[in-house]
Amino acid sequence: MTVRHESSELATVSVFADLDDAAQMQCARSALRRLLFKGEPVFHQGDRPTRFHVLLSGWVRILQAGADGGLSVVRFVGPGEVFGSFALFTERGYPADAIAAADAVELSWTEAQLRQLIDQYPSIAMNLMAVAARRLADLQERVREISTQRAEPRIANALLRLARKGSEPRIDGGIEMLMPLARKDIAAMSATTLHTASRTMSAWQRCGILASSRQRISIIKPTELKRIGDGSDG
């Protein structure tokens, strides 16, 4: 079912940010709106890509299956981000699962609709290239960390990246991350074991650097965590 949307829904999406209000509204009108409940799949690894997705609210985990069949989180998608987009331009299936990490709202377009929008508004293609470049730079940084850093700085940097993606200030000067996080998520995103991530984060909680409850993590001392991420923890 296709529904009408206000242009403001796309105004915060970088892929559509260069378009004027009328163009944003035209793009939004052609989209399919979907309510996602926590735990609901958006697509599965290996499926043939069929749609281009934009998240308006909530959070989506991007999970990849390993050789043993276990799933590891590789990325969190937050409000205003696109996902499942680049697989449309390949001959392969989706490289990962996309599962709602919290109740969410998304818009999506078919491949034919996306190509039509790109023909009409070439800036969409340029903005998609910018998204791809940022993700590549992030991947390169994570590979560098894995190659050169011990587990503690990697865990610190994973937490800081997630905080930049979505957080809000606390009255004590810290920041609270908005996405629901389990320690196994942090372990996967920092390329370490669950045991190491849990032991490290528990130590940081005892030192007052972190606080956590009900899958919400707060960074109480961001400067201290950045110092650890920079490798200057002594």
Side-chain angles (χ1 to χ4, degrees):
M1 178 178 64
T2 302
V3 296
R4 293 176 64 88
H5 310 277
E6 296 297 328
S7 60
S8 59
E9 286 192 312
L10 294 181
T12 59
V13 180
S14 62
V15 170
F16 298 97
D18 296 337
L19 278 58
D20 59 28
D21 287 349
Q24 286 182 0
M25 187 166 290
Q26 180 185 353
C27 293
R29 285 195 187 109
S30 65
L32 178 71
R33 184 186 186 97
R34 182 181 175 190
L35 304 177
L36 301 170
F37 295 101
K38 181 179 178 180
E40 184 174 356
V42 185
F43 52 75
H44 292 289
Q45 184 172 337
D47 286 353
R48 189 176 80 80
T50 58
R51 304 191 72 84
F52 166 69
H53 302 265
V54 166
L55 197 66
L56 296 181
S57 65
W59 296 91
V60 168
R61 279 187 180 91
I62 305 299
L63 298 148
Q64 198 163 54
D68 61 355
L71 292 173
S72 296
V73 63
V74 295
R75 187 165 69 90
F76 272 85
V77 178
E81 291 190 89
V82 302
F83 63 108
S85 51
F86 302 111
L88 286 172
F89 301 101
T90 71
E91 296 181 355
R92 299 182 178 181
Y94 285 117
D97 291 349
I99 309 292
D103 292 349
V105 177
E106 68 144 13
L107 300 181
S108 67
W109 295 259
T110 65
E111 179 180 356
Q113 287 175 317
L114 175 60
R115 291 183 182 275
Q116 184 177 7
L117 290 175
I118 289 174
D119 287 342
Q120 192 168 1
Y121 306 110
S123 66
I124 293 176
M126 297 300 296
N127 291 335
L128 279 171
M129 289 176 62
V131 171
R134 287 193 296 271
R135 289 188 189 170
L136 179 59
D138 180 71
L139 177 61
Q140 290 174 330
E141 179 64 13
R142 290 173 66 176
V143 170
R144 182 195 66 79
E145 290 172 4
I146 293 169
S147 301
T148 63
Q149 292 184 336
R150 296 179 293 106
E152 288 82 357
R154 297 203 307 269
I155 295 167
N157 286 320
L159 288 166
L160 291 167
R161 268 193 295 270
L162 289 167
R164 288 193 293 270
K165 182 179 285 286
S167 62
E168 60 186 13
R170 289 166 50 103
I171 59 173
D172 59 6
I175 52 178
E176 181 177 355
M177 286 185 275
L178 299 178
M179 69 284 291
L181 284 169
R183 291 189 174 185
K184 65 179 181 179
D185 297 332
I186 304 302
M189 298 188 77
S190 57
T192 189
T193 64
L194 175 58
H195 172 76
T196 297
S198 294
R199 175 175 51 79
T200 301
M201 292 174 68
S202 293
W204 290 344
Q205 282 187 250
R206 291 192 296 272
C207 294
I209 297 173
L210 297 182
S212 65
S213 64
R214 296 184 179 181
Q215 289 197 327
R216 295 293 289 270
I217 296 176
S218 295
I219 302 174
I220 307 302
K221 298 179 180 178
T223 302
E224 181 68 12
L225 194 65
K226 185 178 186 305
R227 188 178 68 82
I228 296 171
D230 290 339
S232 53
D233 57 340

